[in-house]
Structure formats: C-alpha cells, structure tokens
Amino acid sequence: MAWSSMAWSPAMAQAQLAQSSGIAWHGLPIQAHATVNDAYADSVWDMIYSIDVECVAVGKTHEVTDRSPCQVALVNGHCDVLFNTYIRPPEHVVSCLTPITGVTLADLEHGISLDEAISELKQLLPNDATLVGQNIDSDVSWMQLTPGVDFADLVDIGDIFKGFNPHYGNYSYHSLQHEARVLLRHEPPLGAHDAVWDARASVMLYKIAACATPGELIEMRHRLIAQRPAPSVAKLHNYQIDGVCMAKFMKKFCICGLP
C-alpha cells in the first residue's frame, strides 16, 4: 500500500516505521527539544531520507520547463549530509535566481552534470527509503527517481501540516520556512534557500509530526494558521527576478502571460 496516497496521520507514520524497521513503535509526546532529540537518535529513523533540489531559470516564464536543477542535497533520518553538489545545467542559464537559490554562476562552474548528480544520488539512496520533503514530488521528478526502484515511498510535509482556515473557508498550505519557524523555532537562512537546510528541516518536521498525538498535530496546524508568515523571497522581489516571472500562483503579478 502506498502511504502517500492516503491522508497522512501520526498513526500512519508509526505503523509505517514499525512495518519497515521491525521496531515496535510507541507514541512519543512532544517535549523539550533535548528530550525529543534523544528520541530522534533511535534506529527507527534509519529508513527516512530527504532530498532538496534548487533550480535556476533557463527561460523567462514561470513554467517548470523554464527551470533546471542547479543543486541537490541528500540527508538521512539523523540529518547527516550524505550528498550535496552544484549541478551545471546543460541549457543556457537566463538567471541563477540567486536571491532564492543562493547559487551564482561561479558556483555552477564547479558543478557536475545532471546525469552525474542523478547517478551519484541513486547510488547513495537505499531502495527501501522513505523520502520526506516539502512538495517532494517535484524533487523526485527533477532527480528522475522511480518509486519502487530508487525508493520505497514518499511523504509530503506540506500535506501533513495543511490545515482548514475558517477565515477563508479553505485549506491553507504553508512554506517549509514558515513550518520550521513556527514548529521548530528554526530561522531559515537569511534570504536565499539552502538545499541542505531545507532537507534537514524536512526531516525534523517529519519527526515531530510522527511523534505527535492526533491532538498535538491539530494544535500544530492551528499555530501555523494563527501566525502570519514572513513574505517570501519572490514576493520581496515583486515576483520577478532578472526579468524571470516568479508568479505562477499569483496571477495578478504574472509578467509572462502563461496560465
């Protein structure tokens, strides 16, 4: 059964970890950071991994076809960095989107090819791994990973923490940075994203969700909705960087004219 096809719950994570690791799971209350970190050292997390991919612009629209991977990081369930490399895109780079990616053309000169990055990543990632991350589907797609071949399952952090917002009458999704700031009290890097930071934050967020009771998870969702998020880097740049449209989900700011 594919866990990612079902509504996520702490009980699901507990059953998934017990089934995959053979270790009996007992729900852990969310406590002080030091105590929770002790629980995180358990071998039950050995099957958990996270990848994060940053992309440069190879075209001026907000479409995914105008993006190309420029960095990938892989961390394990203990937040150890197993792989972190710059990727040299085969296409002409229109913009490194440095305010968002933190990557420059000089960094790309030291990068490896996308094919090399994919090959090395696949060698390091166990095929029984569960991948966790924010919008993890896109990272899996960029790295051309195949479920059931390169990894066993995936869990989208965004789906775990989405919550019903009664003010707007819909479900609110949150950025990884907002989730980490509110729930982990970890401030994201100033300005640009960092692939390693994002992957580590994803693992930590998955862990606190897996250790939570249903009531605690509901309370986390309420906190995320109650606290106003900081403006995104794209918003701070009026949804365009170096003439590249960054307004896929903010149509009134779109400068490329695509849906």
Side-chain angles (χ1 to χ4, degrees), residues 3-39:
W3 293 95
S4 54
S5 65
M6 303 169 62
W8 195 93
S9 70
M12 179 187 296
Q14 294 162 13
Q16 181 184 21
L17 289 169
Q19 179 186 56
S20 301
S21 65
I23 298 172
W25 177 274
H26 300 286
L28 298 172
I30 296 180
Q31 302 170 9
H33 236 339
T35 304
V36 175
N37 283 338
D38 288 341

Side-chain angles (χ1 to χ4, degrees), residues 29-168:
I30 296 180
Q31 302 170 9
H33 236 339
T35 304
V36 175
N37 283 338
D38 288 341
Y40 289 175
D42 198 295
S43 59
V44 74
W45 304 114
D46 288 351
M47 57 156 316
I48 302 299
Y49 291 80
S50 181
I51 60 172
D52 187 79
V53 177
E54 299 295 332
C55 291
V56 295
V58 293
K60 296 231 171 181
T61 78
H62 57 239
E63 287 301 313
V64 68
T65 51
D66 275 349
R67 302 293 182 266
S68 186
C70 64
Q71 184 187 12
V72 61
L74 169 69
V75 305
N76 63 17
H78 306 285
C79 290
D80 301 318
V81 181
L82 305 182
F83 187 47
N84 179 30
T85 186
Y86 292 117
I87 299 170
R88 190 173 59 254
E91 309 94 335
H92 170 70
V93 175
V94 171
S95 171
C96 287
L97 305 177
T98 303
I100 291 178
T101 65
V103 174
T104 66
L105 287 174
D107 293 326
L108 298 183
E109 290 177 2
H110 303 289
I112 62 178
S113 72
L114 179 59
D115 286 343
E116 290 175 298
I118 291 170
S119 176
E120 291 191 39
L121 180 66
K122 288 183 176 182
Q123 290 178 39
L124 292 167
L125 183 65
N127 58 14
D128 61 349
T130 291
L131 288 173
V132 302
Q134 190 86 3
N135 194 22
I136 189 70
D137 280 332
S138 64
D139 300 290
V140 165
S141 178
W142 283 124
M143 290 294 103
Q144 301 175 29
L145 303 177
T146 303
V149 177
D150 300 308
F151 64 95
D153 202 2
L154 53 82
V155 177
D156 192 329
I157 300 297
D159 284 336
I160 294 176
F161 292 114
K162 72 176 181 182
F164 185 75
N165 190 326
H167 181 73
Y168 294 105

